[in-house]
Amino acid sequence: MQNYLKDLNKEQLAAVQQIEGASMVIAGAGSGKTRVLTYKIAHLLKNEIHAFNILALTFTNKAAKEMQNRVHEIIGGNQYTNIWMGTFHSVFSRILRSESEKINYPKNFTIYDTSDSRSLIKTIVKDLHLDKDTYKVNLIHNRISSLKNNFITPESYLNFPELSETDLRKKQTEFHRIYQTYKNRCYKFGAMDFDDLLLKTYELLCQFPETLNKYQKKFQFILVDEYQDTNHIQYLIIKKLAALNENICVVGDDAQSIYSFRGANIQNILNFKKDYPDYKLYKLEQNYRSTKNIVEAANALIKNNEHQIKKDVWTHNDEGELIVISEASTDNDEGRLVVNTIHELSSENQYDNFAVLYRTNAQSRTIEESLRKISIPYKIYGGLSFYQRKEIKDLLAYFNFTINQKDDESLKRIINYPARGIGSTTIQKIIMISNEQNLSMWEAINKITNFNHLFNKGTIKKIEDFYIMMNNFIHSSKSSTAYETAELISKESGIVSLHKHDQSIEGISRSENIQELLNGIKDFCDNIENEENALIEYFMRDVALLTDSDNDNHEDKNKVTLMTIHASKGLEFPYVFVVGMEEELFPSMLSLSSQEDLEEERRLFYVAITRAEKRLFLSHSNIRFKWGQYIDTSASRFLSELNEKFITKKRFVKSNKNNLPKYRIKTSQNISNKKVSRNFKNIRKTDNSISNENINTFKTNQIVEHNKFGVGKIIEIQGSGANTKAIVLFENIGKKNLLLKFAKLRLIK
């Protein structure tokens, strides 16, 4: 046996040593999943499989880089650099750039991130003179994304009558027009969004059999990380690429499938055996991360799920402390409880050993306030990333345009930033020319003197100066390093001096961020292996494909981490606090209408539990400030699914009664059947009931209260006038169809 395999346990070794055929590795939390993928790649290389013939797909660039480094440590040399390893989007964008002529796109197409896409949609809604409140940008973008991932293009949209019916019901009859315009403009600008990278790869493989065959022969061995997180289109692409050789190894954990809202389909991993009947299943069940109490508690919880691949996770680690379940009077008390516990434990631990996890972002408020009061440093993981800050986006828009002159969205952002006297009226005229002449804005600017009847001499001079400056940047981008080009643009455009003269705290911060970006580009150039790839074009390819997990900055790391449970997946901390363990919050109110949704919420709690290495603290409050009111809450059903022998319960009694909330709404019975006495003052309640004449004020997504059914969310409005009905999803009883004329609903939010 080769020496490099000596560190693997029996199950890991068996999975690594299978070279040919299909295999699925079900890896329990903390069981060494990344190690198996890494060693399997190394084993393939050791067995004379060429690196060019290996495709390894991950969900973050960070994971790909980590695996690449580990492979290098095992086998040495530079062979590992030839592996096609990266995220789905980075690998597929590489294929699309190589095959760009087939799909009529420029090789240097721009990749739009979420903010770029939403900016374009906002422009389209404005250009079509549509109501921005009816056509909310975020909702339109999410819907377009969902349609693309289900292969519904603007051209095929009208083949689905139910979609048109939805448009009519939502009073969004122009949605199809927006979708078509969005697609047309992306094509005109030489741009793709993240969904296009998947959709167009699939279309490429379907429409060009010779191209499909080329990549099937190339990728003789395919490995996929986090297979439970793949969506339908990713699944189909993988299946096509693997069809010739069927040498495919997928690694994942169905118990950690928590991204259905992003389109992830748990059936991909559950049905793997149907796609590859001769596959071999390997189970990694030894947990190296957590104590016995934590592992056993997680096992007890997840056994309540019906749809799963059975496994029995175990560990040789110490038994450890019992899991603490704490009950607090209010959510503010809960915040103080968590922070006081961190303060006590921090005498022997660094702050970065602690993580506070929550179901929704809004829950961070009470934790943040308590941390600030006793000066404990913290960071919110998944907040606004470095590359989404305005000053950075401005500079990146310059970079994008120097690479791709069809990118009108970037041009609109930079043409008068910093201000150079090219106002909105002038820009609108340039857009008008480009539309009427079927030109890009850049082509229109190049021919601006042909339209001097539309502009005065001073304006034409400013436009020509801008054209000369940008041409200089474009020339530099093709012949100078990324750092040289970036430094030239940041100075000559006026961005550096603009922020340098702003001596406010915000201005200084923006200057520092720009300098940090330039430092990053310098680092990119210094570490690039192929000098030909040191151009700004290649730097932008990397930036465009960064995921949320890759954007974690390198500030002082000795801080308490605050994050949603979704964001915590793949991470681990010695001490973990999970707050808000209450019905209708966790599990979410919207998950109570189906068994599938409830099981996903349970998997999410499983992920939260298994982030902890040494200690786990779970907490809930009896009252929570929600929807502008104080609401009675009840303990999450998930707490009762944890075996009693692994937990201990504590109660946090509020010391200052004068700060108790004055008004609350009763929503449901307390599952823990514990009553807490509270001194509430009698105050006058506002009558929020809606008269028959005002039933049109009810909208979807509003939170309402019914005398009998309690609090719920309106998920659909049907009919009109006196016959208007609302479908309301109530926390405890599910969906109800109510005639608004008689329902006497009270509007909460």
Side-chain angles (χ1 to χ4, degrees):
M1 184 187 299
Q2 293 96 326
N3 189 49
Y4 66 93
L5 299 177
K6 69 182 188 309
D7 295 328
L8 301 175
N9 65 33
K10 182 180 177 182
E11 292 76 17
Q12 292 171 338
L13 182 62
V16 165
Q17 287 185 313
Q18 181 186 336
I19 293 179
E20 296 189 343
S23 62
M24 179 165 67
V25 181
I26 297 299
S31 63
K33 156 182 79 67
T34 305
R35 169 173 286 195
V36 166
L37 274 175
T38 303
Y39 276 73
K40 193 171 182 72
I41 292 170
H43 191 62
L44 290 173
L45 295 173
K46 286 282 188 179
N47 282 272
E48 299 184 350
I49 305 298
H50 202 287
F52 283 111
N53 297 132
I54 299 173
L55 170 64
L57 297 168
T58 67
F59 274 84
T60 68
N61 293 298
K62 189 176 180 181
K65 189 70 176 175
E66 181 182 342
M67 286 170 57
Q68 203 172 45
N69 289 338
R70 288 194 190 181
V71 170
H72 177 53
E73 289 173 6
I74 296 169
I75 65 171
N78 293 320
Q79 189 182 4
Y80 73 99
T81 61
N82 296 325
I83 300 169
W84 279 60
M85 184 185 296
T87 64
F88 286 86
H89 293 95
S90 65
V91 170
F92 295 165
S93 69
R94 185 176 170 187
I95 291 173
L96 289 171
R97 290 189 193 280
S98 178
E99 310 293 339
S100 59
E101 290 183 4
K102 291 186 176 69
I103 56 174
N104 297 316
Y105 259 81
K107 187 176 183 179
N108 59 346
F109 60 80
T110 299
I111 298 174
Y112 281 173
D113 63 16
T114 298
S115 64
D116 296 326
S117 296
R118 289 179 176 175
S119 174
L120 177 55
I121 291 169
K122 183 179 180 180
T123 300
I124 291 169
V125 169
K126 183 179 179 182
D127 290 349
L128 297 180
H129 307 290
L130 300 174
D131 179 29
K132 61 180 173 57
D133 293 324
T134 302
Y135 297 93
K136 291 183 177 177
V137 170
N138 291 8
L139 297 179
I140 296 296
H141 176 253
N142 290 341
R143 195 168 171 211
I144 289 175
S145 176
S146 177
L147 289 168
K148 286 184 178 182
N149 282 304
N150 285 284
F151 313 115
I152 300 176
T153 63
E155 291 75 22
S156 63
Y157 186 87
L158 298 178
N159 297 333
F160 299 88
E162 64 272 21
L163 295 176
S164 298
E165 290 171 11
T166 299
D167 293 341
L168 195 61
R169 189 170 62 251
K170 291 184 175 181
K171 298 180 180 178
Q172 294 180 344
T173 53
E174 293 295 316
F175 172 80
H176 176 252
R177 191 174 166 205
I178 295 172
Y179 187 14
Q180 185 69 65
T181 306
Y182 176 78
K183 178 186 176 181
N184 293 345
R185 291 200 184 175
C186 282
Y187 179 73
K188 179 183 176 183
F189 300 162
M192 292 189 197
D193 61 23
F194 264 45
D195 297 309
D196 287 328
L197 296 177
L198 302 179
L199 180 62
K200 294 191 181 299
T201 298
Y202 183 70
E203 290 176 348
L204 174 74
L205 299 178
C206 289
Q207 294 171 9
F208 299 93
E210 72 283 0
T211 303
L212 171 61
N213 186 251
K214 168 184 170 182
Y215 288 102
Q216 285 177 333
K217 289 181 177 178
K218 182 176 185 62
F219 301 135
Q220 295 175 19
F221 295 85
I222 299 174
L223 302 95
V224 186
D225 191 14
E226 304 286 13
Y227 192 63
Q228 77 281 346
D229 293 336
T230 54
N231 61 27
H232 188 55
I233 194 166
Q234 288 167 329
Y235 158 78
L236 289 175
I237 294 171
I238 295 165
K239 191 176 179 183
K240 274 189 172 295
L241 291 173
L244 181 64
N245 300 294
E246 293 197 348
N247 294 326
I248 179 171
C249 173
V250 301
V251 179
D253 182 7
D254 58 297
Q256 297 186 64
S257 178
I258 60 173
Y259 291 120
S260 65
F261 67 96
R262 292 184 186 170
N265 187 352
I266 192 174
Q267 295 304 318
N268 293 347
I269 196 166
L270 295 178
N271 293 335
F272 187 80
K273 60 185 177 184
K274 293 181 181 178
D275 294 326
Y276 306 95
D278 297 326
Y279 88 113
K280 290 184 180 177
L281 174 65
Y282 302 95
K283 294 182 182 180
L284 307 184
E285 297 173 308
Q286 182 176 359
N287 180 295
Y288 292 93
R289 175 187 300 158
S290 308
T291 64
K292 280 190 174 73
N293 278 327
I294 292 171
V295 169
E296 292 296 335
N299 286 344
L301 171 83
I302 205 63
K303 282 177 181 175
N304 289 280
N305 270 10
E306 180 182 344
H307 304 289
Q308 60 176 298
I309 298 171
K310 298 293 182 182
K311 58 184 174 299
D312 185 21
V313 180
W314 57 277
T315 184
H316 279 317
N317 292 341
D318 293 339
E319 189 171 294
E321 301 276 353
L322 293 174
I323 296 167
V324 177
I325 298 180
S326 301
E327 174 189 350
S329 297
T330 70
D331 51 349
N332 285 326
D333 288 343
E334 182 186 33
R336 282 190 284 272
L337 167 64
V338 168
V339 172
N340 287 343
T341 307
I342 291 173
H343 181 63
E344 290 171 8
L345 294 170
S346 65
S347 61
E348 298 179 1
N349 293 277
Q350 293 277 91
Y351 286 128
D352 59 3
N353 283 344
F354 301 94
V356 183
L357 311 182
Y358 34 77
R359 181 65 181 82
T360 64
N361 280 302
Q363 291 170 254
S364 73
R365 180 188 61 82
T366 57
I367 308 297
E368 289 186 73
E369 287 177 0
S370 297
L371 287 166
R372 285 198 297 268
K373 281 178 182 175
I374 59 174
S375 301
I376 292 181
Y378 68 91
K379 62 178 178 179
I380 297 181
Y381 190 100
L384 187 65
S385 72
F386 179 79
Y387 289 101
Q388 293 300 320
R389 293 167 185 169
K390 182 186 180 301
E391 62 276 13
I392 301 302
K393 291 286 286 182
D394 290 334
L395 205 43
L396 294 183
Y398 272 96
F399 299 166
N400 267 329
F401 189 76
T402 61
I403 299 164
N404 174 18
Q405 288 80 59
K406 288 186 176 183
D407 187 358
D408 282 9
E409 282 299 297
S410 291
L411 181 55
K412 281 188 281 187
R413 184 168 189 136
I414 65 176
I415 190 170
N416 197 42
Y417 188 83
R420 52 179 61 91
I422 304 176
S424 58
T425 302
T426 300
I427 295 170
Q428 287 304 313
K429 288 180 181 178
I430 295 171
I431 293 172
M432 179 191 71
I433 294 168
S434 70
N435 290 337
E436 289 179 353
Q437 303 293 321
N438 195 26
L439 303 170
S440 68
M441 286 180 66
W442 181 246
E443 289 169 330
I445 288 173
N446 186 29
K447 299 179 179 179
I448 202 69
T449 53
N450 295 346
F451 305 95
N452 51 21
H453 59 286
L454 296 175
F455 309 95
N456 61 44
K457 289 183 179 179
T459 300
I460 287 181
K461 176 69 166 59
K462 291 168 185 173
I463 294 172
E464 287 179 333
D465 287 345
F466 173 74
Y467 182 81
I468 292 168
M469 179 184 73
M470 291 308 303
N471 254 336
N472 187 27
F473 297 164
I474 292 166
H475 177 74
S476 173
S477 72
K478 295 175 181 177
S479 57
S480 304
T481 68
Y483 177 72
E484 291 167 342
T485 300
E487 190 177 40
L488 174 71
I489 292 173
S490 62
K491 290 179 179 177
E492 296 298 322
S493 67
I495 286 181
V496 167
S497 60
L498 174 72
H499 295 302
K500 194 172 184 180
H501 291 124
D502 181 358
Q503 289 302 302
S504 66
I505 294 174
E506 293 80 6
I508 293 170
S509 175
R510 292 189 188 104
S511 291
E512 290 173 347
N513 287 338
I514 289 171
Q515 188 56 53
E516 183 59 32
L517 175 63
L518 294 174
N519 291 343
I521 298 173
K522 182 71 163 63
D523 186 59
F524 167 83
C525 292
D526 289 345
N527 290 285
I528 201 80
E529 292 184 10
N530 185 346
E531 290 186 4
E532 293 180 1
N533 294 343
L535 301 175
I536 195 72
E537 173 184 348
Y538 292 93
F539 173 78
M540 287 304 295
R541 288 186 187 183
D542 284 354
V543 169
L545 293 163
L546 285 176
T547 64
D548 291 342
S549 298
D550 302 313
N551 287 329
D552 188 23
N553 57 44
H554 299 286
E555 297 171 1
D556 176 21
K557 290 188 177 292
N558 189 24
K559 297 178 180 179
V560 175
T561 299
L562 275 56
M563 65 173 74
T564 64
I565 302 169
H566 280 100
S568 74
K569 188 166 172 292
L571 303 176
E572 55 190 44
F573 300 88
Y575 299 89
V576 170
F577 297 79
V578 186
V579 299
M581 292 301 306
E582 297 143 26
E583 284 294 295
E584 294 115 34
L585 179 56
F586 197 17
S588 163
M589 181 176 71
L590 297 181
S591 72
L592 303 179
S593 59
S594 75
Q595 181 68 19
E596 290 78 11
D597 290 344
L598 185 59
E599 290 202 356
E600 174 148 337
E601 287 288 291
R602 189 175 286 111
R603 292 194 296 268
L604 186 60
F605 186 34
Y606 177 85
V607 167
I609 291 174
T610 55
R611 299 312 93 200
E613 298 173 351
K614 294 181 180 179
R615 298 288 306 275
L616 176 63
F617 301 84
L618 310 173
S619 59
H620 64 97
S621 62
N622 299 124
I623 303 174
R624 185 167 295 275
F625 190 73
K626 203 172 181 183
W627 306 320
Q629 305 285 357
Y630 284 101
I631 298 176
D632 273 359
T633 63
S634 52
S636 169
R637 69 188 70 190
F638 294 152
L639 295 179
S640 64
E641 295 176 358
L642 301 175
N643 193 307
E644 289 282 339
K645 68 180 182 180
F646 306 123
I647 63 176
T648 182
K649 294 183 180 180
K650 294 184 179 181
R651 192 168 166 208
F652 182 69
V653 180
K654 188 176 181 66
S655 58
N656 184 359
K657 293 183 179 180
N658 292 329
N659 289 333
L660 279 171
K662 295 179 180 179
Y663 175 48
R664 71 191 191 279
I665 299 171
K666 293 184 179 179
T667 61
S668 57
Q669 293 181 345
N670 193 314
I671 285 179
S672 63
N673 293 318
K674 294 181 181 176
K675 295 188 182 240
V676 181
S677 86
R678 310 178 184 93
N679 297 322
F680 293 104
K681 294 181 181 178
N682 291 323
I683 69 167
R684 188 176 177 182
K685 296 183 182 180
T686 305
D687 182 7
N688 289 324
S689 60
I690 305 297
S691 65
N692 289 342
E693 291 79 14
N694 293 323
I695 58 178
N696 288 333
T697 60
F698 287 105
K699 309 288 183 187
T700 56
N701 296 322
Q702 287 177 337
I703 307 299
V704 294
E705 186 186 28
H706 187 275
N707 287 338
K708 180 179 178 182
F709 305 134
V711 174
K713 182 176 184 178
I714 298 175
I715 58 175
E716 190 174 344
I717 298 288
Q718 297 178 344
S720 60
N723 295 319
T724 304
K725 294 180 180 179
I727 298 177
V728 183
L729 178 62
F730 291 101
E731 297 106 329
N732 294 323
I733 60 173
K735 292 180 185 177
K736 285 288 180 182
N737 219 327
L738 303 175
L739 190 64
L740 288 177
K741 183 176 180 180
F742 301 112
K744 294 183 180 178
L745 293 175
R746 286 209 306 272
L747 187 62
I748 294 177
K749 181 181 178 184

